[in-house]
Amino acid sequence: EAGVAQSPRYKIIEKRQSVAFWCNPISGHATLYWYQQILGQGPKLLIQFQNNGVVDDSQLPKDRFSAERLKGVDSTLKIQPAKLEDSAVYLCASSLDRQGWSGANVLTFGAGSRLTVL
Amino acid sequence: GQNIDQPTEMTATEGAIVQINCTYQTSGFNGLFWYQQHAGEAPTFLSYNVLDGLEEKGRFSSFLSRSKGYSYLLLKELQMKDSASYLCAVRNYGQNFVFGPGTRLSVLP
């Protein structure tokens, strides 16, 4: 099966500019996550979608970050305006979440989008 | 609150055995996961525990004690390619995954 697709792989912008990242999860995966991973740290959840509804966005800086998952498939994450501290890798992940099947709980990650804010 | 602790760095010799510990305090528990992440790459799934005890998968094993909020990942017959970061993650009742800071393992010849 095809994996989680993300683009762009790399993006360099200046502070106060905007950027958008795109993610296409594994076909049939109901749950989609966006994580932020700063160099040397573990991934931090930004937002979790179940189909096209938001399950958890408590750690999303809503004054500058937004995300949507139209039709419960692809998702975009936008940052506007960007700050220096937003420099990180933005990881998209998906999981099947079929009840009663433990293997469905495994997160599969995309390759990530590396953002550098100058 | 939610907190996951792991050692920051570990070093071991090729062919040896290494144990990476993880302690956690989370709002609910619905499974503990270990991921491997090579520099510049995405995390990849290694192992999963939902019940207490040991799960073995080839050279990798993972142990869980829910009462102690403790897990470890055991890597046997270390190879140079095992040099990577190892992430401990807990899935909570909200069905999201909380990751620890990761343990950077260096395997020396």
Side-chain angles (χ1 to χ4, degrees):
Chain A
E1 68 182 359
V4 176
Q6 289 189 246
S7 68
R9 288 295 313 276
Y10 304 93
K11 189 74 176 179
I12 300 173
I13 61 173
E14 296 193 350
K15 59 183 178 184
R16 292 187 290 274
Q17 288 187 322
S18 63
V19 63
F21 302 114
W22 171 84
C23 172
N24 181 243
I26 293 173
S27 178
H29 277 198
T31 309
L32 184 148
Y33 308 76
W34 282 101
Y35 283 87
Q36 179 194 58
Q37 187 173 29
I38 293 171
L39 187 64
Q41 299 181 18
K44 172 189 147 186
L45 180 70
L46 292 175
I47 190 166
Q48 175 189 350
F49 293 95
Q50 179 85 18
N51 296 310
N52 61 350
V54 175
V55 175
D56 185 349
D57 64 355
S58 58
Q59 298 187 87
L60 187 73
K62 298 181 185 65
D63 57 333
R64 299 183 300 105
F65 286 65
S66 64
E68 60 181 8
R69 189 183 185 195
L70 299 175
K71 301 179 183 177
V73 182
D74 292 7
S75 177
T76 56
L77 175 70
K78 297 180 181 178
I79 307 174
Q80 182 179 17
K83 291 185 174 181
L84 297 177
E85 59 260 36
D86 298 332
S87 294
V89 176
Y90 291 86
L91 294 164
C92 179
S94 67
S95 63
L96 185 58
D97 284 342
R98 183 175 299 163
Q99 197 167 12
W101 182 26
S102 63
N105 291 336
V106 174
L107 274 183
T108 301
F109 285 89
S113 295
R114 182 178 299 274
L115 174 66
T116 301
V117 182
L118 303 175
Chain B
Q2 303 190 99
N3 190 50
I4 298 179
D5 284 321
Q6 303 178 237
T8 305
E9 292 189 27
M10 297 182 73
T11 302
T13 305
E14 195 174 15
I17 299 173
V18 70
Q19 177 175 312
I20 301 174
N21 295 324
C22 170
T23 58
Y24 64 89
Q25 293 174 305
T26 57
S27 55
F29 179 86
N30 202 15
L32 188 137
F33 296 73
W34 285 94
Y35 282 80
Q36 180 189 61
Q37 187 175 28
H38 285 100
E41 299 182 12
T44 55
F45 170 73
L46 284 179
S47 185
Y48 162 72
N49 296 73
V50 68
L51 299 175
D52 289 355
L54 190 67
E55 293 283 340
E56 297 186 80
K57 289 177 70 174
R59 294 190 301 114
F60 297 86
S61 303
S62 57
F63 172 83
L64 175 67
S65 168
R66 287 172 297 169
S67 62
K68 296 181 179 177
Y70 168 71
S71 173
Y72 68 73
L73 179 70
L74 194 70
L75 293 78
K76 303 174 189 174
E77 301 169 16
L78 280 174
Q79 302 175 11
M80 299 296 288
K81 66 179 182 179
D82 297 329
S83 291
S85 286
Y86 291 85
L87 301 165
C88 172
V90 172
R91 194 170 203 213
N92 60 29
Y93 289 147
Q95 304 303 323
N96 68 49
F97 291 74
V98 179
F99 282 84
T103 298
R104 188 161 60 224
L105 174 67
S106 299
V107 180
L108 305 178

